Amino acid sequence: MRITNKMMSNSFLADMNVNLNHMKRKQEQLDTGKEFKRPSDSPFKAARSMQIYSEIYANEQYNTNINHTINWLDTTDSALDNLGKSLSRIRELMVSAGNGTYDKDELKAVKDEISEKVNEISQILNTSFDGKYIFGGTHGDKKPTTVDENGELISGTIGDNLKVEISSGVVIEYSVNANELLSFKNKDLKDGNGNLLKIDKDNNVLRVDKESHLVDESGKKILYDGEPITIDGNGELKDKDGKLLKINKDGKLTDENGKILTDKNNKEIDIDNKVTIAANDTLGHLLNDIIKDLGEDGDISKVNNEHLERLDSAISNLLSVRSKVGTFQNRMKGAKNVNEDQNINLKAILSYNEDIDWVEKSMEMGMIQTVYLASLQTASKILPPSLLDFIR
């Protein structure tokens, strides 16, 4: 086969273009600090980077959700602290009103201050954050409480508690609504057999024993899957594994999705001990009764006995709600730490996937430049002389 000058030149140019492309690729990597500039440079790494970026963006949104929730809960805790101070002040006034030496004017002064406290409490319960009433639940655009023309604290439109997603598939309830603060259990109620009565999450009043196990009218434990059903402090029914149980409108025991459950004999479990009784007191009624009995026609003895006991129950309920908010705060702080760690890990993985090793790439660039220059020098000696070489 005859090798012509043109074939040698074409081969040289093709090889030089390959060298130039390699040099161009390394120069781009050094300029950008990245392994690839376009998906075609490394399809697998490009696809992996896109997936990691999606996870980082989602993680950053979860971080925003967590920070917003933490600020919301901090505002809630401050409001509950102020509410506690208001109720404590009312209690002080009630105790002082029991002083037999107080005359009508002094009792009127106590009454007037408590009346002002009603407006103050309403203002606290109408605390807003980021344009929403924090105790309004899902109806955060409407005031959760008002004071009517008679000076009584009443609840307005209040929705369900708010929920937030803090990581993939993890959605939690984080707010408290005004009803949880306005309504409270006056005292431990008991049925005719001496069994305690408790209110579940759906406001069913149920008979339970001292171990918080659900019992029937005779005091016998109601079993599901061979174990007693318990009711926790939040009014939620749980089975032996801690799974949520409910009672439907027909008094049947169901799972959290509404599926009717059966006992070991495949028989539906009837919860026929729902009690119709006004087990709840309200803060509005309590304050109204206190103000009424501090008046001229009131019964001052109730202020220091019955009403004081009711107020203690309201304060105890407030402390319970505040404790729940504290639990939410701790969980959010823990979630924030986990979220930040995940973000650091994801960015480290992203860097490992697409960032270059500067020392390695600099050495490779030097080698490519050396090869390129050597190829030019070699070609200048090997390729046949041209006509220009004779024009000297």
Side-chain angles (χ1 to χ4, degrees):
M1 178 179 174
R2 182 171 177 270
I3 305 299
T4 65
N5 290 347
K6 185 175 182 181
M7 290 174 64
M8 293 178 64
S9 298
N10 289 342
S11 177
F12 167 72
L13 291 174
D15 292 338
M16 289 300 294
N17 281 332
V18 171
N19 289 338
L20 285 172
N21 284 330
H22 287 166
M23 189 181 298
K24 176 176 176 289
R25 173 76 187 281
K26 295 301 176 186
Q27 187 63 51
E28 284 180 349
Q29 290 176 336
L30 289 169
D31 289 342
T32 61
K34 304 295 181 182
E35 283 282 355
F36 51 90
K37 185 176 181 180
R38 55 191 67 82
S40 58
D41 293 340
S42 179
F44 173 76
K45 286 190 174 183
R48 182 164 173 75
S49 286
M50 290 175 65
Q51 179 183 2
I52 296 171
Y53 273 118
S54 297
E55 293 178 7
I56 290 174
Y57 295 149
N59 212 48
E60 288 175 348
Q61 182 58 55
Y62 294 140
N63 186 267
T64 300
N65 293 350
I66 291 170
N67 287 328
H68 179 274
T69 304
I70 289 174
N71 293 333
W72 180 286
L73 290 171
D74 288 343
T75 304
T76 302
D77 187 61
S78 297
L80 294 178
D81 181 54
N82 291 329
L83 180 59
K85 291 176 181 177
S86 296
L87 294 180
S88 295
R89 177 55 182 166
I90 291 174
R91 194 181 192 285
E92 291 176 9
L93 293 170
M94 291 171 65
V95 172
S96 65
N99 190 331
T101 62
Y102 270 34
D103 57 23
K104 291 183 179 180
D105 291 337
E106 289 172 314
L107 289 176
K108 184 178 183 303
V110 170
K111 174 185 175 183
D112 291 342
E113 184 172 349
I114 292 178
S115 296
E116 284 302 315
K117 286 294 178 183
V118 174
N119 292 301
E120 181 181 303
I121 289 172
S122 178
Q123 183 179 353
I124 292 171
L125 293 175
N126 290 337
T127 299
S128 62
F129 173 79
D130 197 22
K132 295 181 179 179
Y133 295 106
I134 60 174
F135 297 116
T138 51
H139 294 297
D141 57 333
K142 298 180 177 63
K143 285 187 176 182
T145 64
T146 56
V147 178
D148 64 14
E149 62 276 5
N150 298 319
E152 182 175 348
L153 179 69
I154 59 175
S155 62
T157 304
I158 301 173
D160 297 329
N161 288 337
L162 301 175
K163 297 180 179 180
V164 63
E165 187 171 3
I166 59 174
S167 65
S168 180
V170 180
V171 179
I172 67 168
E173 199 174 83
Y174 67 93
S175 70
V176 297
N177 60 58
N179 284 334
E180 294 180 66
L181 299 164
L182 292 174
S183 299
F184 59 93
K185 192 172 180 181
N186 187 14
K187 56 184 178 179
D188 284 336
L189 298 172
K190 295 184 178 180
D191 63 13
N193 297 316
N195 296 313
L196 291 173
L197 301 178
K198 287 190 177 182
I199 301 172
D200 72 0
K201 194 174 182 181
D202 300 315
N203 289 322
N204 296 316
V205 184
L206 307 169
R207 294 182 179 87
V208 297
D209 59 18
K210 292 182 179 180
E211 298 173 324
S212 292
H213 291 151
L214 205 59
V215 297
D216 59 20
E217 293 184 7
S218 64
K220 183 179 178 181
K221 288 182 173 64
I222 298 175
L223 304 180
Y224 166 63
D225 201 15
E227 296 290 336
I229 301 165
T230 59
I231 179 169
D232 63 18
N234 295 323
E236 293 184 332
L237 298 178
K238 300 289 181 66
D239 66 7
K240 63 178 181 180
D241 298 320
K243 293 182 180 178
L244 183 65
L245 302 176
K246 291 186 176 182
I247 302 173
N248 66 16
K249 62 181 180 179
D250 299 320
K252 305 288 186 182
L253 187 69
T254 72
D255 62 13
E256 59 181 331
N257 298 317
K259 179 183 177 182
I260 296 178
L261 303 174
T262 58
D263 59 18
K264 61 182 180 180
N265 297 320
N266 203 31
K267 185 178 179 181
E268 295 177 354
I269 302 174
D270 290 311
I271 309 298
D272 58 358
N273 64 331
K274 291 193 288 185
V275 182
T276 305
I277 185 171
N280 276 5
D281 201 349
T282 67
L283 190 58
H285 290 156
L286 169 59
L287 295 174
N288 192 52
D289 290 343
I290 293 171
I291 293 171
K292 180 180 178 182
D293 284 324
L294 284 170
E296 295 183 1
D297 299 328
D299 185 354
I300 192 65
S301 64
K302 288 185 178 181
V303 175
N304 284 106
N305 292 288
E306 178 184 334
H307 300 337
L308 193 61
E309 182 182 345
R310 292 166 66 193
L311 183 62
D312 285 340
S313 296
I315 294 174
S316 177
N317 177 68
L318 170 62
L319 293 175
S320 176
V321 172
R322 193 172 182 187
S323 175
K324 183 170 73 170
V325 171
T327 302
F328 291 156
Q329 287 176 305
N330 290 335
R331 180 167 185 181
M332 285 298 105
K333 290 176 182 177
K336 181 176 175 64
N337 292 334
V338 171
N339 179 274
E340 290 174 349
D341 289 343
Q342 287 178 338
N343 218 31
I344 292 173
N345 291 337
L346 286 171
K347 288 181 178 180
I349 295 171
L350 180 66
S351 176
Y352 179 80
N353 185 65
E354 61 180 29
D355 291 349
I356 65 170
D357 184 328
W358 286 93
V359 176
E360 179 185 359
K361 296 301 178 184
S362 297
M363 292 179 64
E364 289 178 357
M365 183 64 176
M367 291 175 62
I368 292 173
Q369 287 176 328
T370 300
V371 170
Y372 179 67
L373 292 174
S375 64
L376 286 175
Q377 293 172 358
T378 302
S380 67
K381 295 179 179 180
I382 294 177
L383 288 176
S386 68
L387 182 62
L388 294 176
D389 293 312
F390 298 98
I391 305 175
R392 294 183 178 177

